[in-house]
């Protein structure tokens, strides 16, 4: 039992974006929506700014979107670009909303080496907002990917 708990704890600590990561890896990139730091601070909550513009992370299990199972689309909370469809969402048990695929063309990818190893970072292709990371431990019956996304980076639009 101790071995199992150790593995679960280790997985949670290293499975998604870490609060140790504070730099904005998107600084040098140009995106269709480009705003100054002060403009983003006016438009985003302090937690959204920390996650999306400083590449931070929200606390695990803190987002109501983690357990949202309604039909609809998850959009970028900064610019409302559609990012993920509800039919591709699954419960990963990590405490963050997880998806097995993105809406093609709306999510951009990069490398994040801030924890001493390489991870695949995801950000909105329209505004550059940091979303989370993608891992290769998702559902094997679909893509095998787990897009581990900060809930504050998303807004849910229910299907009408």
């Amino acid at each position: 039992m101790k071995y199992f708990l150790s593995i679960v704890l280790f997985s949670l600590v290293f499975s998604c974006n870490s609060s140790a990561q504070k730099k904005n890896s998107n600084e040098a990139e140009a995106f269709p929506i480009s705003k100054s730091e002060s403009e983003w601070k006016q438009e985003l909550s302090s937690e959204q700014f920390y996650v999306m513009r400083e590449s931070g992370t929200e606390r695990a299990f803190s987002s109501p979107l983690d357990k949202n199972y309604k039909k609809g689309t998850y959009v970028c909370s900064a610019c409302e670009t559609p990012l993920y469809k509800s039919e591709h969402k699954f419960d990963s048990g990590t405490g963050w909303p997880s998806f097995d695929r993105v809406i093609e063309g709306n999510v951009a990818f990069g490398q994040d080496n801030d924890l001493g190893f390489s991870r695949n970072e995801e950000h909105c292709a329209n505004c550059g907002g940091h979303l989370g990371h993608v891992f290769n431990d998702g559902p094997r019956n679909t893509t095998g990917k787990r897009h581990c996304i900060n809930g504050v980076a998303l807004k849910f639009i229910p299907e009408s």
Side-chain angles (χ1 to χ4, degrees), residues 3-160:
Y3 178 73
F4 176 73
L5 290 174
S6 297
I7 289 175
V8 169
L9 181 59
F10 180 81
S11 296
L12 284 175
V13 169
F14 290 105
S15 66
C16 270
N17 189 3
S18 164
S19 60
Q21 176 186 347
K22 294 198 181 204
K23 77 168 182 60
N24 185 351
S25 61
N26 304 324
E27 285 179 43
E29 296 179 49
F31 294 95
I33 294 177
S34 181
K35 298 180 183 185
S36 70
E37 183 176 321
S38 62
E39 289 173 312
W40 283 122
K41 280 185 176 180
Q42 287 176 355
E43 292 184 24
L44 301 173
S45 71
S46 59
E47 188 175 21
Q48 286 173 323
F49 184 85
Y50 169 67
V51 168
M52 300 185 78
R53 307 315 308 172
E54 296 178 329
S55 298
T57 191
E58 68 188 2
R59 200 174 76 255
F61 302 100
S62 65
S63 173
L65 293 180
D66 181 36
K67 298 296 182 189
N68 178 35
Y69 300 109
K70 297 174 187 165
K71 290 186 179 195
T73 304
Y74 294 84
V75 301
C76 175
S77 62
C79 70
E80 298 195 359
T81 296
L83 303 171
Y84 307 95
K85 294 181 180 178
S86 61
E87 65 251 30
H88 301 136
K89 186 175 186 290
F90 67 97
D91 187 358
S92 65
T94 61
W96 289 276
S98 297
F99 304 85
D100 70 354
R101 68 196 78 175
V102 302
I103 295 176
E104 290 296 323
N106 293 351
V107 176
F109 300 89
Q111 290 298 310
D112 166 9
N113 298 302
D114 288 347
L115 294 179
F117 57 91
S118 187
R119 298 183 296 170
N120 293 318
E121 179 185 16
E122 296 185 50
H123 52 271
C124 175
N126 200 30
C127 71
H130 171 79
L131 303 171
H133 294 87
V134 61
F135 301 95
N136 292 319
D137 60 359
R140 296 287 169 217
N141 62 337
T142 61
T143 64
K145 302 290 183 190
R146 174 172 56 95
H147 298 261
C148 185
I149 308 302
N150 289 284
V152 296
L154 301 173
K155 183 164 75 170
F156 180 71
I157 309 295
E159 196 175 88
S160 19

